Amino acid sequence: MSDFLTILNGSEPIFLTVVIVFSLIIGSFLNVIIFRLPIILQKGWRQQCYEFLETKVPVTEQPDLMQSQVLLIELFTRPSHCLHCNTPIKFYDNVPLLSYIILRGKCRSCKHKFSIQYPIIEALAAALAAAVALRFSVSWQTVAGCILSYVLIVQAAIDLRHTIIPDEVTLPALWIGLLLSIQFVFVNSTDAIIGAVAGYMFLWLVYWSFFWATKKEGMGYGDFKLLAMIGAWLGWQMLPFTILCSSIIGSVIGVGLIFLHKKKRVKRIPFGPFLSMAGWIAMICGNDINTWYLQFAGLM
């Protein structure tokens, strides 16, 4: 293992190639999570609602809801298949990016178009992982940074599609961030714990302040947990930058959407993708930006 790491450390092209190829494969699995997990969660929530209300499940929904637990296992075990004709996808048609290009984005069996999301997520996973590898070189920070990048991609994509941020992804990632702080991968345990608590409490206070003032919900609880997760990975020092950066990104995109819709009011925009983008930027260059600002302000 040490010899392999030495080879990677001595050859940046080989190292980047390994990271990119691996991330393309992981990106294919991220698509599976993004598409399947919300469906599984929604079926489970419906089943819980019937149980809580002590209402008999309609006959038409019984087979569907009974499969929710099976689907949770199939999230990791069921082979890839066409969502339109349900035909299993052969391994040679499941090569990240390349298969989509060769098949022109269509199922080989039914010719139904695949979502453009597939190549986008795969390419995004590879690009972000490559940036992480260039930033941290051969180190545990690169491994951790790639994992965090994958998690943020999933959270952003699911929130963008369904306006939910699943606890099933956020909470395990939060605990992983706290465990990594024991080895000081990004920050120490004290900064990580304070970051997790402060990240959650800040948006919690913003949520209730906005609700008391307007009687409307400005964001969901998933956003609190997502910022807590980022705080657990990067420490409390990155929270001000993350909040400011996500607000700027959200404002720019929001104004752009209003302009594209001819200044009409657009539907609710989820905040999770902006937090995810800002968290990733904070991981890559947040320390450098914070240091520059403190020097510019004469505080260092």
Side-chain angles (χ1 to χ4, degrees):
M1 182 66 178
S2 59
D3 293 338
F4 180 67
L5 291 177
T6 301
I7 293 173
L8 292 182
N9 199 26
S11 178
E12 187 173 278
I14 295 177
F15 173 55
L16 279 177
T17 301
V18 170
V19 170
I20 290 171
V21 171
F22 178 77
S23 296
L24 284 171
I25 297 171
I26 292 296
S28 182
F29 179 65
L30 297 184
N31 274 312
V32 173
I33 297 176
I34 292 166
F35 274 107
R36 295 184 188 178
L37 183 58
I39 297 173
I40 295 170
L41 293 177
Q42 288 165 7
K43 290 180 178 180
W45 294 335
R46 292 209 312 273
Q47 191 170 24
Q48 291 171 13
C49 288
Y50 284 123
E51 292 173 358
F52 178 77
L53 296 172
E54 298 181 352
T55 304
K56 197 170 184 179
V57 180
V59 177
T60 55
E61 286 199 55
Q62 283 180 1
D64 197 36
L65 294 184
M66 287 177 65
Q67 292 178 356
S68 61
Q69 297 302 320
V70 177
L71 284 173
L72 189 58
I73 298 174
E74 289 183 349
L75 175 64
F76 302 99
T77 60
R78 186 179 183 185
S80 298
H81 61 282
C82 175
L83 298 177
H84 186 255
C85 67
N86 213 34
T87 301
I89 298 175
K90 304 295 183 181
F91 72 92
Y92 49 78
D93 285 337
N94 204 23
V95 180
L97 285 183
L98 187 60
S99 292
Y100 189 90
I101 296 172
I102 293 175
L103 295 173
R104 298 182 180 180
K106 297 179 181 179
C107 173
R108 186 182 291 274
S109 298
C110 66
K111 305 303 179 183
H112 184 77
K113 285 188 177 181
F114 292 132
S115 171
I116 191 65
Q117 174 184 304
Y118 288 108
I120 289 176
I121 294 297
E122 291 166 355
L124 185 60
L128 296 189
V132 169
L134 289 172
R135 173 67 177 82
F136 298 111
S137 189
V138 181
S139 66
W140 285 113
Q141 285 182 315
T142 292
V143 176
C146 287
I147 294 173
L148 181 57
S149 299
Y150 304 148
V151 170
L152 292 174
I153 289 172
V154 170
Q155 299 292 56
I158 292 179
D159 197 23
L160 196 61
R161 287 173 59 90
H162 302 279
T163 62
I164 59 172
I165 302 178
D167 289 349
E168 286 74 7
V169 178
T170 306
L171 297 184
L174 188 151
W175 296 120
I176 291 172
L178 292 177
L179 288 173
L180 289 175
S181 70
I182 297 175
Q183 295 298 322
F184 206 151
V185 175
F186 286 115
V187 294
N188 59 47
S189 295
T190 301
D191 291 342
I193 293 170
I194 295 174
V197 174
Y200 186 94
M201 290 304 300
F202 177 81
L203 288 186
W204 183 87
L205 290 172
V206 171
Y207 170 90
W208 283 108
S209 298
F210 183 81
F211 182 79
W212 287 331
T214 65
K215 304 303 179 185
K216 297 178 182 179
E217 294 184 349
M219 63 181 69
Y221 276 62
D223 296 316
F224 313 167
K225 299 168 190 175
L226 178 55
L227 187 59
M229 184 202 79
I230 293 172
W233 279 75
L234 306 179
W236 63 268
Q237 296 90 338
M238 288 295 105
L239 292 179
F241 173 84
T242 302
I243 294 166
L244 178 61
C245 185
S246 61
S247 300
I248 293 173
I249 295 172
S251 299
V252 171
I253 293 178
V255 171
L257 289 175
I258 291 174
F259 179 77
L260 290 175
H261 287 78
K262 298 180 181 179
K263 300 184 179 180
K264 293 180 181 179
R265 186 176 180 179
V266 296
K267 64 180 182 179
R268 180 181 175 184
I269 303 173
F271 191 52
F274 308 138
L275 277 177
S276 297
M277 284 187 274
W280 188 84
I281 294 171
M283 174 182 63
I284 294 296
C285 56
N287 283 324
D288 295 334
I289 294 175
N290 280 345
T291 300
W292 171 83
Y293 175 77
L294 292 174
Q295 291 176 343
F296 178 78
L299 300 176
M300 281 188 66

